[in-house]
Structure formats: structure tokens, C-alpha cells
């Protein structure tokens, strides 16, 4: 039986929560925030909010994973979820919480890990690696939000 691997990161973003959520929900903008090892991000259906389908590739220790994600909004304006339509079991959840004139953003992912020794190693390495990647993603989101604020 595969175990679930969970990774997360959070950061305060220098923009109001409504603006930050709008940036995350617009999949055409979302690609700007993804750091390496994400690449080849494509909006296949939709563009903003629930009902979008996006695809991208991610380099991992095991090679390259091609993912196709459906976007839902369990709590519009607060929670955005990307769920792999394939067989990885990957779910990426973005939670935006107002924090005065700023927003606290949390990215949490959960996926079906490997079994056996490979699963043990993955359970140790993947959460740390993804935490660092998500911190980069949040830094890119913050830079974009600041640029938008400064431009207005």
C-alpha cells in the first residue's frame, strides 16, 4: 500500500488577499510563479478559476513527471485546488488568508508515494525538496504582487 507524501510552505505576500487569490486563480498568470523544476505549463481548458485544466512537467529524482491538473475552488476567494487527472494522486492546495493589507499563502501538496525502500527515501527527501520549491514559488508570487502594487 502506497503512503501519502505531504509537503508545504507558506509566506506572507505583500498584497491584499483578494488580489493574491486572483493572481493564483488566473492560470495564465500562475505559470509565472512556478520555479524550476516545473516547466512546459499549458492551459488546456478555461483560464480563470474552477473548471480549468492545466498541464505541466516537473523534474523529480525519478525523472520527469507529466501532470494534467483539474482546478477546483472549494472556497472561492480562499482555497484553490489542483488535482491530477492521471494516476499520481497529486493534489496541490493553495490557501489564501487575509492578514491586514497582506495575505498569508500556504501551498500544500499531497501525493501517493512509492512503496518499499524507494518510498522510505521519497518520504524523507520529497517533503524537504518540495518545501524549498514552494518557497521559491511564493517568492515569485510576492515579487509579482509587489510589481502590480507599485505599478498602480
Amino acid at each position: 500500500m502506497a503512503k501519502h507524501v505531504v509537503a508545504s510552505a507558506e509566506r506572507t505576500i505583500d498584497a491584499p488577499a483578494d488580489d493574491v487569490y486572483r493572481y493564483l486563480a488566473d492560470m495564465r498568470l500562475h505559470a509565472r510563479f512556478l520555479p524550476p523544476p516545473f516547466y512546459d505549463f499549458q492551459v488546456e481548458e478555461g483560464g480563470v478559476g474552477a473548471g480549468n485544466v492545466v498541464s505541466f512537467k516537473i523534474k523529480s529524482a525519478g525523472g520527469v513527471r507529466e501532470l494534467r491538473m483539474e482546478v477546483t475552488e472549494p472556497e472561492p476567494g480562499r482555497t484553490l485546488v489542483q488535482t491530477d487527472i492521471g494516476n499520481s494522486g497529486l493534489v496541490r492546495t493553495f490557501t489564501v488568508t487575509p492578514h491586514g493589507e497582506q495575505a498569508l499563502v500556504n501551498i500544500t501538496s499531497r501525493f501517493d508515494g512509492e512503496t518499499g525502500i524507494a518510498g522510505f527515501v521519497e518520504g524523507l527527501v520529497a517533503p524537504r525538496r518540495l518545501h524549498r520549491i514552494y518557497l521559491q514559488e511564493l517568492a515569485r508570487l510576492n515579487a509579482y504582487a509587489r510589481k502590480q502594487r507599485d505599478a498602480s
Side-chain angles (χ1 to χ4, degrees):
M1 179 171 144
K3 74 175 191 177
H4 295 291
V5 177
V6 179
S8 66
E10 68 180 20
R11 178 187 173 144
T12 300
I13 304 298
D14 294 325
D18 290 344
D19 292 345
V20 172
Y21 188 86
R22 191 175 67 249
Y23 303 150
L24 289 170
D26 186 334
M27 291 300 121
R28 295 172 299 253
L29 287 178
H30 201 104
R32 293 178 184 217
F33 314 133
L34 294 173
F38 293 98
Y39 67 101
D40 199 18
F41 188 92
Q42 303 290 321
V43 177
E44 294 183 10
E45 295 176 26
V48 179
N52 286 303
V53 175
V54 298
S55 62
F56 55 87
K57 295 175 183 165
I58 183 169
K59 291 180 186 172
S60 66
V64 174
R65 282 191 174 202
E66 294 185 33
L67 299 163
R68 195 161 177 258
M69 311 289 278
E70 181 176 21
V71 178
T72 58
E73 294 179 277
E75 295 179 67
R78 178 164 162 70
T79 307
L80 183 84
V81 178
Q82 298 174 338
T83 304
D84 184 23
I85 298 169
N87 62 358
S88 74
L90 175 63
V91 178
R92 284 177 29 104
T93 302
F94 299 82
T95 305
V96 179
T97 305
H99 192 67
E101 289 298 309
Q102 299 175 316
L104 180 63
V105 177
N106 178 284
I107 304 172
T108 299
S109 65
R110 178 182 177 137
F111 62 93
D112 300 332
E114 298 292 330
T115 58
I117 297 293
F120 176 77
V121 173
E122 181 180 51
L124 293 175
V125 175
R128 290 184 189 129
R129 180 173 182 261
L130 288 170
H131 175 79
R132 287 191 303 272
I133 292 166
Y134 293 162
L135 286 176
Q136 291 173 11
E137 187 171 352
L138 291 166
R140 288 173 174 228
L141 172 62
N142 189 56
Y144 180 83
R146 287 178 131 191
K147 186 177 179 182
Q148 298 309 303
R149 182 192 66 203
D150 293 346
S152 52

